[in-house]
Amino acid sequence: MSAVAGDGVCEKSAFLTPALRAELLASYPDVRPDLVADDLICHLAAHDDGDHFAILYDHLPGPDAGALWTRWSDDVPRVILLRPDCPARSPEDRIPCGHFTAHPGPHSWQTPTQA
């Protein structure tokens, strides 16, 4: 994935399909259905190629549980990924990165959000 300099967050959108939602709830029975994201937005830095990633569920128990993410390259997310949280923190104020471990591109605090 190559970043597009100065463009902020990717913001490519997709919708969680009913089939993928059903798979998530069957695979992770402790997930609260009302907290699963249906409207998905790529959280990574702007990019002109490669996969898009969005958080499906970020309420797993425990400080090291990570989050459930999805990935897509066309318009339809097709996979559920349990990914640990990125351990990086901003050097100035120690804000944790909002992405998963080994994510492509810069950390979340290094990417300006779009207005």
Side-chain angles (χ1 to χ4, degrees), residues 27-57:
S27 299
Y28 299 92
D30 292 335
V31 163
R32 286 186 41 193
D34 60 316
L35 297 178
V36 174
D38 290 309
D39 299 329
L40 308 173
I41 297 174
C42 182
H43 292 280
L44 302 181
H47 51 97
D48 54 9
D49 62 352
D51 292 333
H52 301 284
F53 291 87
I55 296 173
L56 293 172
Y57 189 80

Tab-separated table of all heavy atoms in Angstrom, residues 27-57:
chain	number	residue	atom	x	y	z
A	27	SER	N	-19.031	-16.747	15.523
A	27	SER	CA	-17.649	-17.033	15.900
A	27	SER	C	-17.252	-16.428	17.243
A	27	SER	O	-16.360	-16.943	17.913
A	27	SER	CB	-16.696	-16.495	14.825
A	27	SER	OG	-16.938	-17.117	13.595
A	28	TYR	N	-17.889	-15.326	17.602
A	28	TYR	CA	-17.578	-14.600	18.847
A	28	TYR	C	-18.884	-14.374	19.619
A	28	TYR	O	-19.456	-13.290	19.595
A	28	TYR	CB	-16.891	-13.271	18.533
A	28	TYR	CG	-15.576	-13.441	17.814
A	28	TYR	CD1	-15.509	-13.426	16.430
A	28	TYR	CD2	-14.398	-13.643	18.531
A	28	TYR	CE1	-14.302	-13.602	15.763
A	28	TYR	CE2	-13.185	-13.814	17.879
A	28	TYR	CZ	-13.147	-13.798	16.494
A	28	TYR	OH	-11.957	-13.980	15.848
A	29	PRO	N	-19.377	-15.411	20.307
A	29	PRO	CA	-20.700	-15.324	20.953
A	29	PRO	C	-20.800	-14.286	22.069
A	29	PRO	O	-21.914	-13.893	22.425
A	29	PRO	CB	-20.940	-16.738	21.480
A	29	PRO	CG	-19.594	-17.383	21.526
A	29	PRO	CD	-18.757	-16.717	20.480
A	30	ASP	N	-19.683	-13.806	22.610
A	30	ASP	CA	-19.734	-12.805	23.679
A	30	ASP	C	-19.817	-11.374	23.148
A	30	ASP	O	-19.937	-10.428	23.928
A	30	ASP	CB	-18.521	-12.937	24.600
A	30	ASP	CG	-18.550	-14.233	25.393
A	30	ASP	OD1	-19.655	-14.777	25.607
A	30	ASP	OD2	-17.469	-14.716	25.780
A	31	VAL	N	-19.760	-11.213	21.851
A	31	VAL	CA	-19.845	-9.883	21.238
A	31	VAL	C	-21.267	-9.345	21.377
A	31	VAL	O	-22.238	-10.065	21.148
A	31	VAL	CB	-19.424	-9.960	19.749
A	31	VAL	CG1	-19.878	-8.742	18.978
A	31	VAL	CG2	-17.922	-10.125	19.634
A	32	ARG	N	-21.368	-8.094	21.756
A	32	ARG	CA	-22.679	-7.438	21.835
A	32	ARG	C	-23.080	-6.976	20.431
A	32	ARG	O	-22.407	-6.127	19.843
A	32	ARG	CB	-22.633	-6.238	22.773
A	32	ARG	CG	-22.576	-6.630	24.237
A	32	ARG	CD	-22.687	-5.451	25.160
A	32	ARG	NE	-23.678	-4.471	24.745
A	32	ARG	CZ	-23.762	-3.248	25.269
A	32	ARG	NH1	-22.922	-2.864	26.205
A	32	ARG	NH2	-24.671	-2.406	24.838
A	33	PRO	N	-24.166	-7.515	19.873
A	33	PRO	CA	-24.571	-7.171	18.506
A	33	PRO	C	-24.785	-5.679	18.276
A	33	PRO	O	-24.499	-5.168	17.197
A	33	PRO	CB	-25.878	-7.947	18.308
A	33	PRO	CG	-25.803	-9.072	19.280
A	33	PRO	CD	-25.029	-8.544	20.457
A	34	ASP	N	-25.247	-4.958	19.310
A	34	ASP	CA	-25.514	-3.531	19.152
A	34	ASP	C	-24.239	-2.689	19.058
A	34	ASP	O	-24.301	-1.518	18.689
A	34	ASP	CB	-26.400	-3.015	20.286
A	34	ASP	CG	-25.779	-3.195	21.666
A	34	ASP	OD1	-25.231	-4.286	21.942
A	34	ASP	OD2	-25.838	-2.261	22.470
A	35	LEU	N	-23.068	-3.288	19.362
A	35	LEU	CA	-21.809	-2.562	19.285
A	35	LEU	C	-20.973	-2.929	18.059
A	35	LEU	O	-19.874	-2.422	17.881
A	35	LEU	CB	-20.988	-2.791	20.554
A	35	LEU	CG	-21.613	-2.281	21.856
A	35	LEU	CD1	-20.718	-2.615	23.042
A	35	LEU	CD2	-21.874	-0.782	21.775
A	36	VAL	N	-21.501	-3.804	17.199
A	36	VAL	CA	-20.802	-4.170	15.965
A	36	VAL	C	-21.031	-3.066	14.931
A	36	VAL	O	-22.164	-2.644	14.700
A	36	VAL	CB	-21.300	-5.526	15.437
A	36	VAL	CG1	-20.678	-5.842	14.080
A	36	VAL	CG2	-21.006	-6.636	16.430
A	37	ALA	N	-19.962	-2.613	14.315
A	37	ALA	CA	-20.068	-1.554	13.299
A	37	ALA	C	-20.641	-2.127	12.005
A	37	ALA	O	-20.205	-3.169	11.530
A	37	ALA	CB	-18.695	-0.953	13.040
A	38	ASP	N	-21.617	-1.430	11.454
A	38	ASP	CA	-22.203	-1.812	10.164
A	38	ASP	C	-21.716	-0.901	9.038
A	38	ASP	O	-21.543	-1.339	7.908
A	38	ASP	CB	-23.729	-1.749	10.226
A	38	ASP	CG	-24.315	-2.848	11.101
A	38	ASP	OD1	-23.952	-4.018	10.899
A	38	ASP	OD2	-25.128	-2.527	11.987
A	39	ASP	N	-21.549	0.372	9.347
A	39	ASP	CA	-21.033	1.350	8.383
A	39	ASP	C	-19.529	1.439	8.611
A	39	ASP	O	-19.078	1.929	9.644
A	39	ASP	CB	-21.677	2.722	8.589
A	39	ASP	CG	-23.177	2.690	8.387
A	39	ASP	OD1	-23.647	1.871	7.578
A	39	ASP	OD2	-23.877	3.484	9.036
A	40	LEU	N	-18.759	0.974	7.659
A	40	LEU	CA	-17.325	0.826	7.833
A	40	LEU	C	-16.562	1.901	7.078
A	40	LEU	O	-16.934	2.265	5.967
A	40	LEU	CB	-16.901	-0.554	7.320
A	40	LEU	CG	-17.697	-1.728	7.891
A	40	LEU	CD1	-17.305	-3.013	7.195
A	40	LEU	CD2	-17.517	-1.821	9.394
A	41	ILE	N	-15.501	2.394	7.696
A	41	ILE	CA	-14.634	3.401	7.079
A	41	ILE	C	-13.190	2.981	7.318
A	41	ILE	O	-12.814	2.652	8.443
A	41	ILE	CB	-14.879	4.798	7.680
A	41	ILE	CG1	-16.303	5.251	7.392
A	41	ILE	CG2	-13.879	5.805	7.133
A	41	ILE	CD1	-16.690	6.555	8.053
A	42	CYS	N	-12.396	2.992	6.258
A	42	CYS	CA	-10.979	2.660	6.398
A	42	CYS	C	-10.309	3.708	7.283
A	42	CYS	O	-10.397	4.906	7.035
A	42	CYS	CB	-10.307	2.613	5.028
A	42	CYS	SG	-8.558	2.142	5.106
A	43	HIS	N	-9.639	3.221	8.328
A	43	HIS	CA	-9.010	4.104	9.315
A	43	HIS	C	-7.549	4.409	9.018
A	43	HIS	O	-6.929	5.188	9.731
A	43	HIS	CB	-9.090	3.472	10.711
A	43	HIS	CG	-10.472	3.399	11.256
A	43	HIS	ND1	-11.103	4.466	11.830
A	43	HIS	CD2	-11.360	2.378	11.308
A	43	HIS	CE1	-12.309	4.107	12.219
A	43	HIS	NE2	-12.487	2.844	11.910
A	44	LEU	N	-6.996	3.766	8.015
A	44	LEU	CA	-5.579	3.950	7.723
A	44	LEU	C	-5.339	5.262	6.989
A	44	LEU	O	-6.275	5.923	6.551
A	44	LEU	CB	-5.061	2.784	6.899
A	44	LEU	CG	-5.211	1.400	7.535
A	44	LEU	CD1	-4.641	0.341	6.606
A	44	LEU	CD2	-4.545	1.330	8.897
A	45	ALA	N	-4.075	5.601	6.823
A	45	ALA	CA	-3.715	6.802	6.071
A	45	ALA	C	-4.194	6.654	4.630
A	45	ALA	O	-4.338	5.535	4.115
A	45	ALA	CB	-2.209	6.998	6.097
A	46	ALA	N	-4.474	7.778	3.999
A	46	ALA	CA	-4.931	7.769	2.609
A	46	ALA	C	-3.968	6.957	1.758
A	46	ALA	O	-2.751	7.061	1.908
A	46	ALA	CB	-5.039	9.194	2.087
A	47	HIS	N	-4.525	6.120	0.883
A	47	HIS	CA	-3.700	5.291	0.017
A	47	HIS	C	-4.421	5.067	-1.298
A	47	HIS	O	-5.646	5.109	-1.367
A	47	HIS	CB	-3.332	3.970	0.695
A	47	HIS	CG	-4.491	3.218	1.262
A	47	HIS	ND1	-5.115	2.191	0.610
A	47	HIS	CD2	-5.150	3.352	2.442
A	47	HIS	CE1	-6.096	1.711	1.359
A	47	HIS	NE2	-6.138	2.416	2.478
A	48	ASP	N	-3.641	4.850	-2.337
A	48	ASP	CA	-4.239	4.686	-3.658
A	48	ASP	C	-4.236	3.240	-4.139
A	48	ASP	O	-4.685	2.947	-5.235
A	48	ASP	CB	-3.557	5.602	-4.684
A	48	ASP	CG	-2.050	5.412	-4.728
A	48	ASP	OD1	-1.544	4.465	-4.103
A	48	ASP	OD2	-1.380	6.220	-5.390
A	49	ASP	N	-3.726	2.327	-3.336
A	49	ASP	CA	-3.786	0.916	-3.677
A	49	ASP	C	-3.767	0.090	-2.399
A	49	ASP	O	-3.573	0.615	-1.309
A	49	ASP	CB	-2.633	0.525	-4.602
A	49	ASP	CG	-1.258	0.729	-3.953
A	49	ASP	OD1	-1.176	1.302	-2.856
A	49	ASP	OD2	-0.270	0.313	-4.570
A	50	GLY	N	-4.008	-1.197	-2.526
A	50	GLY	CA	-3.968	-2.089	-1.373
A	50	GLY	C	-5.306	-2.197	-0.669
A	50	GLY	O	-6.317	-1.645	-1.095
A	51	ASP	N	-5.295	-2.956	0.408
A	51	ASP	CA	-6.515	-3.250	1.160
A	51	ASP	C	-6.917	-2.095	2.061
A	51	ASP	O	-6.088	-1.303	2.502
A	51	ASP	CB	-6.305	-4.493	2.023
A	51	ASP	CG	-6.157	-5.764	1.198
A	51	ASP	OD1	-6.696	-5.806	0.080
A	51	ASP	OD2	-5.518	-6.707	1.683
A	52	HIS	N	-8.211	-2.064	2.352
A	52	HIS	CA	-8.783	-1.122	3.318
A	52	HIS	C	-9.096	-1.905	4.590
A	52	HIS	O	-9.422	-3.095	4.530
A	52	HIS	CB	-10.048	-0.484	2.752
A	52	HIS	CG	-9.793	0.258	1.483
A	52	HIS	ND1	-9.192	1.496	1.446
A	52	HIS	CD2	-10.047	-0.068	0.194
A	52	HIS	CE1	-9.088	1.909	0.206
A	52	HIS	NE2	-9.591	0.963	-0.583
A	53	PHE	N	-9.007	-1.230	5.743
A	53	PHE	CA	-9.252	-1.872	7.038
A	53	PHE	C	-10.186	-1.008	7.880
A	53	PHE	O	-10.027	0.214	7.925
A	53	PHE	CB	-7.937	-2.037	7.807
A	53	PHE	CG	-6.998	-3.039	7.207
A	53	PHE	CD1	-6.106	-2.667	6.209
A	53	PHE	CD2	-6.995	-4.351	7.640
A	53	PHE	CE1	-5.226	-3.582	5.660
A	53	PHE	CE2	-6.119	-5.274	7.100
A	53	PHE	CZ	-5.234	-4.895	6.101
A	54	ALA	N	-11.123	-1.676	8.562
A	54	ALA	CA	-12.035	-0.976	9.471
A	54	ALA	C	-12.278	-1.836	10.712
A	54	ALA	O	-12.255	-3.073	10.642
A	54	ALA	CB	-13.361	-0.678	8.782
A	55	ILE	N	-12.528	-1.172	11.819
A	55	ILE	CA	-12.847	-1.870	13.071
A	55	ILE	C	-14.308	-2.308	13.035
A	55	ILE	O	-15.205	-1.512	12.763
A	55	ILE	CB	-12.609	-0.953	14.283
A	55	ILE	CG1	-11.140	-0.588	14.389
A	55	ILE	CG2	-13.087	-1.622	15.566
A	55	ILE	CD1	-10.827	0.438	15.459
A	56	LEU	N	-14.517	-3.594	13.331
A	56	LEU	CA	-15.878	-4.120	13.464
A	56	LEU	C	-16.354	-4.058	14.914
A	56	LEU	O	-17.509	-3.756	15.180
A	56	LEU	CB	-15.933	-5.587	13.007
A	56	LEU	CG	-15.700	-5.857	11.537
A	56	LEU	CD1	-15.598	-7.359	11.292
A	56	LEU	CD2	-16.828	-5.252	10.720
A	57	TYR	N	-15.438	-4.369	15.831
A	57	TYR	CA	-15.811	-4.461	17.246
A	57	TYR	C	-14.569	-4.197	18.085
A	57	TYR	O	-13.549	-4.883	17.928
A	57	TYR	CB	-16.369	-5.858	17.533
A	57	TYR	CG	-16.978	-6.026	18.902
A	57	TYR	CD1	-18.270	-5.582	19.162
A	57	TYR	CD2	-16.287	-6.652	19.925
A	57	TYR	CE1	-18.845	-5.756	20.412
A	57	TYR	CE2	-16.855	-6.827	21.179
A	57	TYR	CZ	-18.134	-6.373	21.413
A	57	TYR	OH	-18.700	-6.540	22.646
